Amino acid sequence: MRNSTDTPSSPRYARHGGARHAISAAALCGVLLAVGTACGDPGTKARSGGAAGNGNPAVSGSSSPASAGGVPGVGERMGKQIPDDTRQLVVVYGDDRDSAEGTAVLYEKQGARWKQSASWPSHNGRRGWTTDHQLDDERSPVGVFSLTDSGGTLRSPGTKLPYYYDDHAYAASVADPDDEAHAHDFDYVIAINYNRLKGTPPYDWSRPEGVEKGGGIWLHLDHGDGTSACVTVPAAGIKTLLGTLDPADHPMVVMGDRDRLKG
């Protein structure tokens, strides 16, 4: 259901071409307006392939897990940041630190081991990855972040995560509503808890570490190319994540280029 405390007249909303600019929609999804379209550059070609599966394409050629039962392709330094009570992980394996392409894999813990449930081709910041994300840098932050809140321009397809439906708030963050390539980017989103307050709608403007550190970084529907900082997966992927992630399992996302993930 629509969040009862936020309406289209709330100060959080920004209207492109309108009079209300209490916040900039550019700050949503890693400063969207910096590139003229929602989280992407339509000039970049989409990567092919990537249906969900039970193989392990994401870690092909990567180093072995740091320890028995460890997350494939994730080294000890990153692995230690995963809480002990986490039983669901989304791992985004970026192809390279300067690449916008990668693979997102859903793992679920069975006993002491992580089992891959599904994988999808993904996109991230069009300039790649960074360990020091800044506003407008067009790179996605490397790190381990919790996943606690979701929402979208469409009503919930069924999820245990808190879901904030609002067909105005998310649509307001699309720089060009007439661009069909990006028309459905925010049908469904899952907030990545980088520089945001947990328990708030994904479009909440709060930036605890300061505006200069960026924010509004989401998992959302893929549009076939790089983003301003978000991570995108196909529609089947985002629906699977929404239907699977459970707050009781303390879901997290581990994301970055392959070298730094295993380092």
Side-chain angles (χ1 to χ4, degrees), residues 83-161:
D84 292 339
D85 57 2
T86 291
R87 303 194 66 79
Q88 293 178 324
L89 278 180
V90 180
V91 182
V92 183
Y93 301 90
D95 286 355
D96 183 81
R97 66 179 59 197
D98 297 321
S99 173
E101 297 185 339
T103 303
V105 180
L106 172 63
Y107 293 101
E108 297 182 87
K109 202 166 192 179
Q110 297 186 356
R113 293 185 174 275
W114 291 99
K115 181 179 179 181
Q116 178 176 319
S117 298
S119 68
W120 309 274
S122 64
H123 284 96
N124 49 267
R126 64 180 52 80
R127 296 182 61 195
W129 298 91
T130 179
T131 56
D132 184 23
H133 178 62
Q134 299 292 318
L135 193 68
D136 287 333
D137 67 8
E138 297 190 350
R139 291 180 180 269
S140 297
V142 175
V144 181
F145 309 102
S146 57
L147 301 170
T148 57
D149 303 288
S150 64
T153 62
L154 301 181
R155 295 184 183 278
S156 173
T159 182
K160 294 180 180 179
L161 294 174

Side-chain angles (χ1 to χ4, degrees), residues 212-225:
E212 70 281 356
K213 296 292 290 183
I217 297 175
W218 303 339
L219 279 161
H220 68 78
L221 271 70
D222 189 65
H223 46 242
D225 50 32

